[in-house]
Amino acid sequence: MATDIAALLAEINSTRPILEQVANKWSVLILTVLCTEPSRFNAIKRRLDPITHKALTEALRRLERNGLVSRRVIASSPVAVEYAITPLGRTLQDPFVALVGWARQHGGAMERAQGDYDDRRVDDGLV
């Protein structure tokens, strides 16, 4: 049994850097937006309000570097940039749709649990 736990921990530690790239604050939402259609920077920003310009730029660069998003410059006036999900990024669509569905279904329960927790802390004089 100890060997199974050690193997599981080794696997978790080996996948942690990848999960940190994919499952950070904005990546899941950006990739979910791009799963529906390629989008320009400002369209993504509007869909993910209140993301900042800087946070979106950094997240898109990270996703592009990781091969999950492609970037295409459109020769127009003014010049535009369109982002699209790559085939590798598309493999995350089903897990992300499931995750967003879970959040929609269970978000209220989490908010109630947070309220109950906060109330207990106040009642116990810990806040």
Side-chain angles (χ1 to χ4, degrees):
M1 173 126 178
T3 309
D4 294 339
I5 293 172
L8 180 60
L9 288 174
E11 185 176 323
I12 288 170
N13 285 333
S14 69
T15 59
R16 185 175 42 85
I18 302 302
L19 292 174
E20 287 173 353
Q21 293 294 315
V22 172
N24 67 47
K25 183 175 181 177
W26 292 111
S27 293
V28 173
L29 296 173
I30 292 168
L31 290 169
T32 302
V33 166
L34 294 177
C35 277
T36 58
E37 64 184 345
S39 298
R40 292 183 180 187
F41 183 94
N42 285 329
I44 299 168
K45 189 171 182 322
R46 279 191 300 276
R47 297 259 326 257
L48 298 181
D49 185 49
I51 191 171
T52 65
H53 188 279
K54 179 182 177 189
L56 181 56
T57 298
E58 290 172 354
L60 286 167
R61 285 181 184 156
R62 186 176 52 256
L63 291 168
E64 183 181 9
R65 180 175 183 259
N66 290 318
L68 303 173
V69 166
S70 64
R71 179 180 183 272
R72 180 175 70 100
V73 176
I74 301 169
S76 60
S77 182
V79 173
V81 177
E82 182 180 76
Y83 294 89
I85 197 160
T86 64
L88 179 61
R90 178 82 52 202
T91 64
L92 291 166
Q93 184 172 0
D94 289 342
F96 284 177
V97 167
L99 184 60
V100 169
W102 183 92
R104 209 175 299 124
Q105 182 178 356
H106 298 288
M110 283 185 64
E111 288 175 2
R112 286 188 297 280
Q114 291 168 356
D116 292 347
Y117 176 87
D118 294 345
D119 291 344
R120 283 192 313 273
R121 297 211 15 112
V122 167
D123 291 345
D124 293 342
L126 299 173
V127 176

